[in-house]
Amino acid sequence: MTMHRRALLGAVSALTFACAAPGAAQVRVGNDRILTEQVPAPPTKEYFAYVGSESVDKVSLIRFGPKGATLDHAVDVGIMPTDPDGPHGVAVAPDGKTYVVSTAHGTPFGRLWRFRTGTDEQLGSVVLGNFPATTQVSPDGFYAYVVNFNLHGEMVASDVSVVALDDMVEIARIPTCTMPHGSRLNAAGTKHYSACMMDDIVVEIDTRQLAVSRHYMLTKGKEMGMPGAPPKRGAGAHAGMDMGGHGMEMPKAGDPGCSPTWAQPTPDGAFLYVACNKSSEIVEIDTKAWKVTRRIPAGNGIYNLAISSDGATIVATNKRDQSVSIFDRVSGTERARIKTSRRIVHGAAITSDNRYVFISCEGVGSEPGTVDIIDLVAMRRVASVDVGQQAGGIDTWAGPGGIR
Amino acid sequence: MRERFAHRAWCTIALLTALPTAAIAQQPDAVPVKLVVTPATRTLAAGDTMRLHAEARDADGRPVNARIRFQQAGGRFEGVVDTAGLVSAGATGGLTVVVSATAPGARPVIERVELRVVPGPAARAEIDAPRGTLVVGQRVRLAARSFSALGDARDDRLRFTSSAPKVAEVGSDGFLVARAAGSATITATTGSVNATRTITVAAGPIASVELTPNTSEARTGDVIRFKAVAKGPAGAAIAGVMPTWSVSPGNGLIDADGAFVGYDAGEYSVVANFGTRTSEAKVTLTARDVRRPLKVVGRLPRMRFTTEEVWIHPDGKHAYLGSGGGGDVLITMDISNPAKPVITDSLIENTRRVNDVMTTKDGKWMVFTREGASDRKNGFVIASLEDPAHPKKVADFTENMTAGVHSAFIYEQPKFGRHVYATNDGTGALHVVDINDPAHPKEVAIWKTPRADAGRTLHDIDVQDGLLYGSWWNDGLVILDIGNGIKGGSPSNPQFVAQYKYDLNALYKQVELSGGPGFIRGTHTAWRHKNYVFIADEVFPSSGVAGAKDASAGRAYGRLQVLDVSDITHPKPVAWYEPEYGGVHNVWVAGDTLYMGAYNAGFRVFDISGELRGDLRAQQREIGHLNTADMDGYVKNAAMTWGVVVRDGLAYVNDMYNGLWVVKIEPKPAAVP
């Protein structure tokens, strides 16, 4: 982070917050409408979330508490003063003392950066692969897992980087599939799952062996679990395949493809949920049997997932619908679909008490990125804060005395 | 690459007894706390392989169960390391291997192993010696170098010998004295490798040396070509002999061809030496005296986004300005009155950066680039300029351009029509797109530098006379025939002509020393002018000064190099400019003047008249300088001058931080008596 870049980009402003006393209140929705409706009680404590803005090289800290939601501050991330570095993935370490940010762009390789929470002191960076994207810190806090999405160029197999955080060195780069995307570890930290957007598969990494242990074909009618890594496919294998505007375009009629964009295990690790962006479904996989057990209809262009710590609720962002869906995991019922304040809904991060979910919305063009905060009890959006353009990776932080 | 090395039997020094993923179960419950990596000697030759071994140990030094893995760190240019520790060295330099020992629930143990990759054994040698004939008494210093089979230069000290010391006596260090008429074979040797060169010595005697011009008056920076003719007693010229040159004082240079340039005003002596005879010429240099005042005649501050490329419509009345830092706007301006640029329209696109913009020569069409589009398709936009004040989009081109396009150049050839030459941000490839039907652009070619994908970046493109000058970052300047004919190239079939690659890490070592490793540096832009190609590097430190604040604390670095392309297949560096402070970003040449956006060093103007040699800054060729910092800007009170377009005697300068400046170079002030 260069100091002059901290000053380079002007501060972005808080857009709205609607956390007044419970009862009837005016709620500003987006930029244009003001509604009078019942609003839930504001939180009694403060919550925090870090969110990356890919187009303006910023990471913002959102503060949400009794006085509503505000942009606490934003810092610049990256090395290139005149070209975008593209912060994409954001992950707070389980102990809350540090956070990591993947910067996707580069010449051509991106990086992973590590910062101290609160002060944003930079603790190091390491060069990774092509377009490092979704990031998560392992439960023991020792490692970060980063998918190298390799959005650009020929569609060839890419990999998942494993970074030892204390040393900020990459200790493994595990070949997986084409366009590895949304990824998550199980709660034990023994398995890492990533979605392969262009191969229609999900890949499981055994974190003790740092190698792919299994993969699963998600295409409707061709579902199949297989041991080991998927076969390596050359660029020609994807001839004619369309990434669909990165999940923004409707699939062609009759296309059975999934185009998975997120893989989310349950806290107990028994099930894996995969967001099928193309078919707008959630695929449920029994991780022990390694079989599909359900296909749950979801919102249009389902993109990222988050699961509550009790495993009861799944939150899904709907990229083509400008909405967020709240699912009861056990029944598979969509309990609510809530409009977001901006287009191109991206990430979701649930607070540790499972009360709120922070949603990042990219926006289009020069529209600011926005973080919406949804009350998971009231099932409604209760606050929104504008941040830098193309808000993407998001994670919650306990904050100084706050709740993660 | 790994397979290639595996088949080099001669180069394998691997110890094949390794346990590549050692899991030694001697202390299964103990926690690894350290790693022992062998061998201790970690130097290998480019092309060789080496097997690394590692063992995890507990606090008492006993081997413990752990997953051991080897991983290459940093760049991928100097070799390959597999997970079992087999190192295959690709090229000379440094190679860092990370060795990790992991065990469930335990903090990983990390050991960084630095490998030094040196050139392979000497396979050939070269002697650098005068190409002409020497005369008795003449003394020259020879140089020789050795190279590995892969062409890597070695640092051997070669020993010189002469087959006929009575003709040409040479010391082991290469210091040669011509003793008598005849020929001698000079040999430079290292190990079993040698190089030879025949040296011919003319009898002489040289009775006189005619050095022309004998006296010269010029300005600093002017190149004076001296010619020395050795004559015998009868006054006849002795053909083929060449002098050794020297100049004093030292603040100038003279090359082996007798081309002299001086940096400071004053008296110089140029000496041509033929051993027993010398001749001296006097040179009087006056100051170049090109400095002129600049005047800001117009200004359009921009504050919402960063300002990117500026372009002037061929009608001279309209201009276009890109936006970045989240900007999705291409601004159209009326510059009929340059003192008051007025925004007439803006074209908003699905992008977060409009980095480059250019119009066709007839002014009917425009192309501008996209980076950061929300659908990640990016590519570029083609717009109609039927009304130059109000561009209308007619087409997108996004095929294979998901990563974004940083630069695009429109070029027309009667034989091939009109094409866009665009950079691919993700692959570093050149994409050639046929826009003869602007509404239906069609890709006709993709060209990449012939190297591994890792580290390939194409940053900027210039095309003139059917030759494309690509600024290929790590690969330097690459010249392609896209219709010139010299190599049979065409837009759909670009053909390689030449490459000028240089050691960026060595050139900017100071940047690494001040800002740490991993700094940004690469060949950034190129401009063909007469028999020269100007290339400029983009260089930034990897981190700012600790404790500093605000944009003005940051700085760029860089060097402008002047390449003589009289022989287009062999670009030859002849001159350079390196600012004391700031960078060298985009350039524009009009007439004998070079205009430059120098990033945080503002806007600069240079006199490039005449022949160019040596250090252009030392020669006082700078005409003017403007610091474009402004309190009205996206970033306040700091300059980040991007580039310039010159039209009708005015420089339209775009500053990334604060918008457009219209600058005039004022006449030389009248002398005040």
Side-chain angles (χ1 to χ4, degrees), chain A residues 1-10 54-56 58 78-85 88 104-109 111 113 122 125-128 130-131 140-143 149-156 161-175 179 181 207-211 242-249 303 319 344 346 362-369 389-391, chain B residues 67 69-77 83 98-110 112 304-306 308 325-329 348-353 355 371-378 400 402-404 406 424-427 448 453-457 459 473-474 517-520 538 540-545 547-555 585 599 634-635 640 642 656-657:
Chain A
M1 187 187 327
T2 53
M3 294 305 293
H4 72 277
R5 298 185 71 235
R6 180 188 284 258
L8 190 157
L9 303 169
E54 187 173 328
S55 283
V56 289
K58 281 189 173 297
I79 186 173
M80 296 184 285
T82 55
D83 294 307
D85 288 84
H88 190 102
H105 309 170
T107 56
F109 300 123
R111 289 174 181 245
W113 304 76
Q122 189 193 121
S125 73
V126 58
V127 175
L128 301 180
N130 209 326
F131 208 98
D140 57 18
F142 296 152
Y143 307 100
F149 181 46
N150 194 4
L151 170 65
H152 307 144
E154 293 184 332
M155 292 185 189
V156 294
S161 290
V162 184
V163 176
L165 290 171
D166 283 351
D167 298 87
M168 282 309 282
V169 294
E170 184 185 26
I171 63 163
R173 191 175 290 192
I174 305 163
M179 287 194 179
H181 202 260
T207 61
R208 297 187 178 190
Q209 296 301 317
L210 295 177
D242 183 5
M243 56 179 280
H246 197 74
M248 285 304 296
E249 296 173 0
Y303 192 58
K319 197 168 185 182
I344 322 288
H346 190 116
E362 295 182 16
V364 174
S366 62
E367 290 175 5
Q389 282 106 320
Q390 204 173 10
Chain B
R67 169 82 185 177
R69 192 180 173 104
F70 298 83
Q71 176 73 28
Q72 184 179 344
R76 259 66 181 164
F77 314 124
T83 57
V98 172
V99 190
S100 60
T102 57
R107 188 175 296 278
V109 180
I110 306 294
R112 290 174 194 253
R304 190 175 171 216
F305 302 115
T306 58
E308 313 285 305
D328 60 353
V329 180
I348 296 174
E349 263 300 312
N350 182 1
T351 182
R352 292 183 177 96
R353 191 183 198 192
N355 182 72
E371 292 173 293
S374 61
D375 60 6
R376 297 192 182 275
K377 288 188 172 182
N378 290 308
N400 300 322
T402 54
H406 196 68
N424 185 322
D425 289 3
T427 64
K448 298 178 183 177
D453 284 348
R456 185 197 297 111
T457 297
H459 210 278
W473 207 256
N474 291 311
F519 65 101
I520 298 164
E538 178 159 286
F540 286 102
S542 64
S543 61
V545 176
K549 61 183 284 290
D550 298 336
S552 55
R555 67 159 295 186
H585 194 225
Y599 272 151
Y634 182 76
V635 176
M640 188 58 91
W642 173 284
M656 193 173 179
Y657 286 168

Side-chain angles (χ1 to χ4, degrees), chain B residues 615-646:
Chain B
D615 185 344
L616 303 182
R617 180 164 68 95
Q619 298 163 17
Q620 300 134 40
R621 281 180 175 266
E622 185 172 286
I623 293 172
H625 171 237
L626 170 70
N627 186 332
T628 54
D630 196 331
M631 289 304 286
D632 291 332
Y634 182 76
V635 176
K636 297 183 188 305
N637 205 27
M640 188 58 91
T641 320
W642 173 284
V644 54
V645 175
V646 178

